[in-house]
Amino acid sequence: MLSSLRARLLFLLCALMVIVGVLAVVIGQKSMQLYFEEQTQLKNRSIAMYVTQEYKLFADTINNGHIINILARQAMIINPIAEVYLLNPQGTVISHPFPANTLQTDQVDLKPIQEFLDGSTNFPLRSTDPKQPGSDVIFSASEVIQDAQLKGYFYVVLNASGSSSLFTPLSHIGKISLLSLSIVFILSLVAGGLIIRRLSARLESLSNTMCNFSHQELMPEEPTACDKKTVTGDEIDKLSAIFSGMAERIREQIQLLTESDQRRRELVSNISHDLRTPLVSVQGYLETLVLKNHSLSQEQRLAYLLTAEKGARRLSQLISDLFELSKLEAFDGQIKKEIFSLTELIYDTAQECQPEADKKSIQLVIKCPTNNIQANADISLIQRVFENLIGNAIQHTPRHGQITITLAPPTNQSIRITIDDTGPGINDEDLPFVFERYYQSPSQSGEFTSSTGLGLAIVKQALALHQSEIQVCNKAHSGAQFTFHLLSQ
């Protein structure tokens, strides 16, 4: 029944209002009682003195019941609810106008009477009610003096019926007070209910949003309600903004995970395909040699072996490139930078690639303004960059072509390196994709199908670790040109 926050808050508000109302009534009643007693005692404080001055109480008449009855009637004229008693100096009741066995005690506490006579205490001041010893009452008192000696006290109880008489003169006021409290209670309950409804409506909206978020498909393309501006509202606004920000970050992480999973699937698919092709070729030619070993000529046997050897070599290169690219993509530490001679590294790499270039009579040309251009980078990664770029250029450059490697003089601590060839260039529609793994142009001739399609992806990843970006374009006449920058010393 009280499962919702709104119902619980309304219940707590009602309970709180009831408690506050009861406390207000109790405190109000107590305050009115004290005020009534104070005013009654102030107005009747002299009643005992007036009576004792009107009638001289002598020693021979102090125990006279007839005199006490007269005094009682006189006191009741002034205060109808007054009761009179004569006390001796020790506070013992020695005379009263009531029937026998009416009093429950004949001893009255004299300390309040002394304080009343001295005027040293604020009203209301209470003392013993002989008829009800456990219930103190307000009173008036006067000394009985004869021959300059204290003969006793004239003691007048002003409210003999106790606190119950309080409500008789204040019944109308009590009704008005009760009505006023009821109206205040209803208005406060209505106002509190409206406030709770407004606050709980915002919380309910946020709760529904969070509930929907927990059940929905968190696709990357789903919009987010996160507000980037500084939140200046209350705690609910801040909570909503925090949740929106959290939801956006979760979506971003899910998008990254989705992209990573997609790349993983593509990688597994491509690896399976690229490993299967050369492996099937090698396996097929080897099985042919086994099955037809005696029927094959020496020339056929050699051709099959060369084809199997070529497929095994491509398979080895593919596995090596995959391993290298996986290391670069998983790399999350600092690369080992050092200062080295970039000129020497280019000459050494070109010398290693020269045998492949000689097979196609391709000329490797290095243009360097000085023999001592130094760079600050990871030498092993940069060497791999040059190997892949030069190897890619050799593969796509026709026979008797030329590959030129140019180092520009350092400018603003940056070295510009370009590698261009005299090949057919790259189709315009292929330029945005040449650095993607396994990408090969649909128009590429069969001459270049031996490429693993990972060389340029490795180059891009290695340079990205150096905060460098490689660019590619077609030259004006023929061939492609790759450009990137490295930090100098």
Side-chain angles (χ1 to χ4, degrees), residues 367-382:
K367 294 181 180 181
C368 183
T370 174
N371 294 328
N372 192 25
I373 295 180
Q374 294 185 324
N376 185 13
D378 189 315
I379 188 172
S380 61
L381 292 181
I382 299 304

Side-chain angles (χ1 to χ4, degrees), residues 2 78 134 150 159 174 226 251-252 275 283 345 385 414 483:
L2 297 178
I78 302 174
L150 178 66
N159 190 18
C226 181
R251 288 193 178 97
E252 290 174 353
L275 291 181
Q283 184 179 2
L345 178 63
V385 168
S414 178
T483 306

Side-chain angles (χ1 to χ4, degrees), residues 146-419:
Q146 187 179 14
D147 298 331
Q149 293 184 356
L150 178 66
K151 296 300 182 177
Y153 300 95
F154 186 60
Y155 180 64
V156 181
V157 175
L158 300 176
N159 190 18
S161 59
S163 60
S164 61
S165 64
L166 170 67
F167 301 101
T168 301
L170 298 178
S171 59
H172 181 64
I173 298 176
K175 291 179 181 179
I176 294 177
S177 300
L178 183 60
L179 179 60
S180 300
L181 285 174
S182 300
I183 295 175
V184 171
F185 175 81
I186 294 174
L187 292 178
S188 300
L189 188 62
V190 172
L194 293 176
I195 295 174
I196 291 174
R197 180 175 181 178
R198 182 175 180 181
L199 293 176
S200 61
R202 298 167 62 197
L203 288 173
E204 184 178 2
S205 176
L206 180 59
S207 175
N208 292 334
T209 302
M210 297 177 71
C211 182
N212 294 334
F213 180 82
S214 64
H215 290 87
Q216 69 182 354
E217 293 289 337
L218 297 178
M219 301 304 293
E221 62 271 11
E222 294 225 6
T224 178
C226 181
D227 187 6
K228 297 292 186 180
K229 298 180 181 179
T230 302
V231 179
T232 57
D234 56 17
E235 289 79 4
I236 298 177
D237 293 329
K238 293 179 181 179
L239 179 61
S240 179
I242 291 172
F243 169 74
S244 298
M246 178 192 68
E248 182 180 19
R249 287 193 294 272
I250 291 176
R251 288 193 178 97
E252 290 174 353
Q253 293 297 320
I254 290 178
Q255 182 175 4
L256 292 177
L257 291 174
T258 302
E259 293 175 353
S260 177
D261 182 68
Q262 182 64 26
R263 289 196 300 269
R264 180 188 62 82
R265 292 174 182 272
E266 292 177 357
L267 177 62
V268 171
S269 176
N270 292 332
I271 290 176
S272 300
H273 176 269
D274 288 335
L275 291 181
R276 185 186 298 112
T277 301
L279 187 61
V280 169
S281 176
V282 172
Q283 184 179 2
Y285 280 100
L286 291 178
E287 289 178 352
T288 301
L289 286 173
V290 172
L291 295 175
K292 300 180 178 181
N293 183 41
H294 298 291
S295 60
L296 294 176
S297 63
Q298 189 67 23
E299 291 77 8
Q300 290 176 324
R301 187 178 292 109
L302 179 60
Y304 287 174
L305 288 173
L306 290 175
T307 303
E309 188 270 341
K310 182 179 179 180
R313 187 166 57 249
R314 185 175 186 277
L315 183 61
S316 175
Q317 182 64 38
L318 178 62
I319 293 174
S320 177
D321 288 347
L322 284 171
F323 179 71
E324 183 70 19
L325 183 60
S326 298
K327 285 199 304 181
L328 292 176
E329 290 182 342
F331 189 80
D332 57 357
Q334 294 293 330
I335 58 177
K336 298 178 181 179
K337 286 187 176 182
E338 58 180 300
I339 298 176
F340 61 92
S341 175
L342 187 59
T343 306
E344 292 183 5
L345 178 63
I346 290 178
Y347 277 104
D348 292 342
T349 307
Q351 186 176 1
E352 293 177 2
C353 297
Q354 190 63 54
E356 289 295 324
D358 291 341
K359 293 180 181 180
K360 300 176 65 176
S361 300
I362 295 175
Q363 183 180 5
L364 297 180
V365 178
I366 299 175
K367 294 181 180 181
C368 183
T370 174
N371 294 328
N372 192 25
I373 295 180
Q374 294 185 324
N376 185 13
D378 189 315
I379 188 172
S380 61
L381 292 181
I382 299 304
Q383 182 178 10
R384 186 61 186 268
V385 168
F386 284 122
E387 289 175 350
N388 287 5
L389 289 177
I390 295 174
N392 183 74
I394 292 173
Q395 186 178 10
H396 291 83
T397 300
R399 298 180 64 83
H400 307 290
Q402 178 178 304
I403 298 173
T404 304
I405 306 166
T406 304
L407 275 72
T411 303
N412 296 329
Q413 296 184 340
S414 178
I415 306 171
R416 181 173 181 269
I417 302 104
T418 60
I419 300 177

